[in-house]
Amino acid sequence: MDRVKTGVVGLDTMLNGGFLPARPYVVSGPTGSGKTVLAAHFLLEGLRLQEPCLLVTLDEPPIEVKANMATFGWNMDRLKILDATPDVRAHKRQRSVIDVGTSLDVRDMEDVTDIRQSSQVRALEVTVHSVQKMIKQEFSQHLERTKQRYKRIAIDSMTALKMFSMEGQDSRILIQSFLRFLAELEATTLIVSERLDRRKLETEFFLGRGEIRMHKWIDGSMIRRALSIEKFRGSAFDDKMHPVTIGDRGMVVALDAPSQIRGTSPEGKPGESLLETRLIDEVSNVIESVMRQIEEAHRRQIPIRDVEVALSRAMLAFQRRNYQKAMKIALACDSQLRERIAEAPPPPPVGMPPRPPVIR
Ligand SMILES: Nc1ncnc2c1ncn2[C@@H]1O[C@H](COP(=O)(O)OP(=O)(O)OP(=O)(O)O)[C@@H](O)[C@H]1O
Ligand SMILES: [Mg+2]
């Protein structure tokens, strides 16, 4: 199978040639670690190969994105950018209206939790839907205009998008359906997402077929960066952490020297015992399997909303480090899904109109 190159020197070697096509991948890491630069490399590589590429920007307006990329001498004129930032600006305005403080950092999640509780901000919860609609429209217009599908899509970032979603269960279901929608576009998608805490398992990490994790830490007076591949389904990969430099021509991963974090690591895992790590892995595996079955059930239009809600509870328990409870719920979801998928009639042959969903 042809690989989809990221265009980052060193990273494609780590990925055994590149991503597998038409699947969603996640790039995670703290602020300033190089997520946006990596996403830009990925899109630039597509443009170089004459592939239609789309950037959905939520963090920075398109003009800033292009200006930042120009500092590397990259011409991104052929890149289609969907500007999803106006909602962020609306959010900023709302904030002054409800007077919850003065400085706004879109990454300040705790602040946002406070704001979310305001009924005024609820109005912005349509954002996930509207972004999905924007992408859908752009996709079909592009197909009509050029008879070509977008080959590469980058979403920068999921973290910003999620800020406008409701707290708790519904937001997870919303995000799950958004990710399913992305997967169905059959483009290779790069989803930028912060994951500062290993225990905070966000939906995209389960649905993503792979995760590239960016690291950034302070070593004396130097800021150091590195990169590792956390998972890559269906392929062999280099699982060591390698140093990253961002210079005049973008990002380079040095393969000769595996990186060792020295100095203060902001993303260290203090106090996480071996037993806890194993528990995390085991629960993650069950949740991951449940999510794959949810995808399957959706494809076959089997009603499973109750299972999705239960899974959200499992994920919440997981975040609270109540692994026993998380495992119990996830296993119950797993057996429910197996049962319903086994009982459901076989999928209709291709070409038949889909059955209307049954409301349970
Ligand atoms: N033209 C350039 N030359 C050298 N270094 C640059 C250049 N552009 C950006 N950088 C460096 O790359 C770093 C990573 O930038 P990037 O925007 O990719 O981070 P990020 O992970 O997306 O952060 P955030 O979560 O805040 O969006 C910047 O902090 C900056 O130091
Ligand atoms: Mg960024």
Side-chain angles (χ1 to χ4, degrees):
M1 199 191 292
D2 279 349
R3 296 280 179 145
V4 178
K5 285 194 190 320
T6 63
V8 176
V9 174
L11 176 57
D12 289 321
T13 312
M14 289 174 72
L15 288 165
N16 221 13
F19 294 132
L20 299 173
R23 297 175 186 196
Y25 294 91
V26 174
V27 49
S28 66
T31 184
S33 59
K35 302 182 296 295
T36 298
V37 174
L38 172 53
H41 264 284
F42 167 75
L43 295 169
L44 190 75
E45 176 67 11
L47 294 177
R48 198 180 66 74
L49 297 168
Q50 310 294 330
E51 295 173 352
C53 296
L54 177 67
L55 169 68
V56 183
T57 179
L58 290 115
D59 276 8
E60 297 164 357
I63 190 152
E64 278 178 36
V65 175
K66 288 205 172 167
N68 292 347
M69 295 312 128
T71 63
F72 291 119
W74 298 345
N75 180 345
M76 307 284 271
D77 286 349
R78 278 186 296 128
L79 176 67
K80 175 75 194 180
I81 303 185
L82 276 187
D83 185 358
T85 57
D87 293 307
V88 175
R89 287 196 287 273
H91 177 254
K92 284 186 188 181
R93 283 196 297 276
Q94 285 283 1
R95 191 174 202 268
S96 60
V97 170
I98 56 177
D99 193 25
V100 285
T102 46
S103 67
L104 178 96
D105 182 338
V106 290
R107 294 162 201 101
D108 192 343
M109 299 305 284
E110 273 174 20
D111 248 348
V112 171
T113 312
D114 293 342
I115 303 168
R116 275 199 201 118
Q117 286 158 4
S118 151
S119 58
Q120 285 157 300
V121 182
R122 283 274 154 85
L124 293 169
E125 285 163 5
V126 291
T127 306
V128 176
H129 282 309
S130 59
V131 169
Q132 185 164 327
K133 210 168 132 196
M134 270 169 90
I135 299 175
K136 201 171 173 173
Q137 257 173 10
E138 175 57 34
F139 215 82
S140 52
Q141 281 170 4
H142 184 268
L143 187 63
E144 220 167 87
R145 256 192 338 261
T146 65
K147 309 285 170 243
Q148 277 187 306
R149 301 168 78 88
Y150 277 109
K151 277 266 167 75
R152 296 179 185 229
I153 303 177
I155 313 276
D156 192 2
S157 67
M158 264 322 262
T159 314
L161 180 56
K162 275 192 237 171
M163 285 191 343
F164 307 106
S165 309
M166 248 187 296
E167 280 264 273
Q169 300 173 347
D170 280 327
S171 104
R172 289 175 188 283
I173 292 170
L174 218 59
I175 298 293
Q176 278 177 36
S177 97
F178 179 65
L179 289 162
R180 267 196 306 275
F181 158 78
L182 286 179
E184 280 161 13
L185 295 178
E186 292 184 4
T188 310
T189 312
L190 204 57
I191 299 161
V192 172
S193 181
E194 288 181 43
R195 188 200 200 186
L196 302 174
D197 183 344
R198 177 171 147 75
R199 285 171 291 268
K200 276 206 170 157
L201 276 175
E202 306 287 349
T203 316
E204 60 269 29
F205 294 97
F206 288 114
L207 289 183
R209 299 305 191 269
E211 181 193 344
I212 295 174
R213 191 173 301 173
M214 312 297 303
H215 309 264
K216 182 183 139 193
W217 72 99
I218 297 164
D219 181 8
S221 59
M222 297 277 288
I223 290 178
R224 302 225 185 251
R225 294 189 178 85
L227 170 160
S228 59
I229 299 171
E230 290 300 310
K231 89 172 174 190
F232 186 10
R233 280 203 208 127
S235 174
F237 62 94
D238 176 348
D239 65 357
K240 287 186 284 302
M241 185 157 79
H242 294 284
V244 164
T245 49
I246 302 175
D248 291 349
R249 301 182 57 195
M251 179 180 289
V252 174
V253 180
L255 290 184
D256 32 8
S259 183
Q260 275 183 346
I261 292 184
R262 284 192 309 265
T264 1
S265 163
E267 38 189 325
K269 297 175 249 158
E272 192 177 281
S273 66
L274 193 64
L275 178 68
E276 186 169 4
T277 308
R278 276 186 50 192
L279 270 171
I280 289 173
D281 285 346
E282 272 175 35
V283 184
S284 303
N285 284 340
V286 179
I287 296 182
E288 206 169 315
S289 139
V290 169
M291 293 197 78
R292 277 199 300 270
Q293 292 181 77
I294 288 179
E295 280 181 76
E296 167 71 14
H298 273 271
R299 261 195 301 276
R300 294 176 52 184
Q301 303 191 351
I302 303 167
I304 44 142
R305 194 177 155 86
D306 54 332
V307 182
E308 285 179 301
V309 171
L311 182 65
S312 301
R313 277 181 31 237
M315 288 167 82
L316 205 64
F318 189 100
Q319 280 187 15
R320 293 185 176 140
R321 302 172 76 167
N322 189 341
Y323 304 118
Q324 211 173 358
K325 184 172 170 189
M327 187 62 131
K328 199 172 147 193
I329 306 173
L331 284 172
C333 291
D334 188 74
S335 64
Q336 267 293 318
L337 282 168
R338 278 176 206 282
E339 225 168 81
R340 285 190 211 173
I341 290 173
E343 279 172 5
V350 184
M352 292 270 287
R355 286 178 296 119
V358 184
I359 312 294
R360 247 182 139 92

